[in-house]
Amino acid sequence: MNGYAERAQAGPDAASTPATAQGERTETTRAGDARAGGKVAEGLTAEQLVELDKLKARDTEVRQHEAAHQGAGGAYAGSASFTFTRGPDGKRYATGGEVSVDSAPIPGKPDETIAKMRIIQQAALAPAEPSSQDRRVAAQAARAMLQAQSDLLQQQHAAQANAGDDGRQRARAADAYREGERISAG
């Protein structure tokens, strides 16, 4: 080690770990201090350590939640944005987040809109515990999907009607030709 020695103020709660060799660090810990990743979280009270644990757990939960939206949303999902809370250790922890999503129907293409809305609905419900906002987005996608299915049926009926009209026109043209042939022959 570099010979650095750190001493905390000794009080009635203090326990000391003596140095075992010259130049090794002497470490003093107080009751209520905790070890995080092998380092002493100095200067934090027991309440602050509990708060810190909650913030760390929330940060992990929020980041996983938003990553689930992004992963399932593919090209229709934007970047995640987070709201942060500063912990008692001075670091920022994500406590809220959102992923923007392109939920606009594809004009004139109800079949593509249906496929898009399925992806959006899956992305909204992708996290283990969807929020009420996630459920609203999924419901909006379901409504947009129903509208697109209705539009698709209308397009199909219109196409069938046009195909029927074309067939009738061809039949009339064939009849007129045959009638013209009959008149010319006679």
Side-chain angles (χ1 to χ4, degrees):
M1 295 213 122
N2 63 8
Y4 174 78
E6 180 178 311
R7 295 182 191 265
Q9 289 184 329
D13 294 354
S16 179
T17 306
T20 57
Q22 188 175 7
E24 285 194 14
R25 181 176 175 173
T26 302
E27 188 177 281
T28 304
T29 60
R30 283 178 272 148
D33 282 351
R35 295 187 179 271
K39 294 183 180 176
V40 175
E42 294 187 31
L44 298 179
T45 66
E47 294 83 19
Q48 289 173 321
L49 291 171
V50 168
E51 179 186 355
L52 190 58
D53 285 343
K54 287 179 182 178
L55 284 171
K56 287 178 180 180
R58 179 67 181 150
D59 182 88
T60 299
E61 178 186 341
V62 167
R63 290 178 189 277
Q64 288 175 347
H65 184 100
E66 302 311 329
H69 287 312
Q70 282 184 299
Y76 304 118
S79 298
S81 62
F82 299 98
T83 55
F84 295 92
T85 300
R86 190 164 304 279
D89 60 352
K91 295 180 182 174
R92 294 178 351 140
Y93 296 92
T95 53
E98 67 180 28
V99 171
S100 61
V101 64
D102 173 10
S103 60
I106 300 170
K109 298 183 178 183
D111 52 338
E112 291 179 25
T113 297
I114 292 167
K116 178 180 179 179
M117 293 305 142
R118 281 191 182 121
I119 291 170
I120 291 170
Q121 190 174 37
Q122 289 170 353
L125 300 175
E129 294 181 31
S131 68
S132 58
Q133 174 63 23
D134 297 340
R135 293 182 202 290
R136 278 192 293 276
V137 169
Q140 289 170 345
R143 285 191 295 276
M145 196 178 339
L146 287 173
Q147 180 61 50
Q149 288 170 337
S150 175
D151 294 346
L152 183 60
L153 284 173
Q154 288 176 349
Q155 281 184 358
Q156 290 171 343
H157 289 310
Q160 288 173 350
N162 287 341
D165 288 346
D166 288 347
R168 285 189 288 273
Q169 287 176 351
R170 281 194 294 269
R172 276 183 261 162
D175 288 344
Y177 178 79
R178 282 190 294 273
E179 182 65 24
E181 288 290 316
R182 188 180 57 79
I183 293 173
S184 330

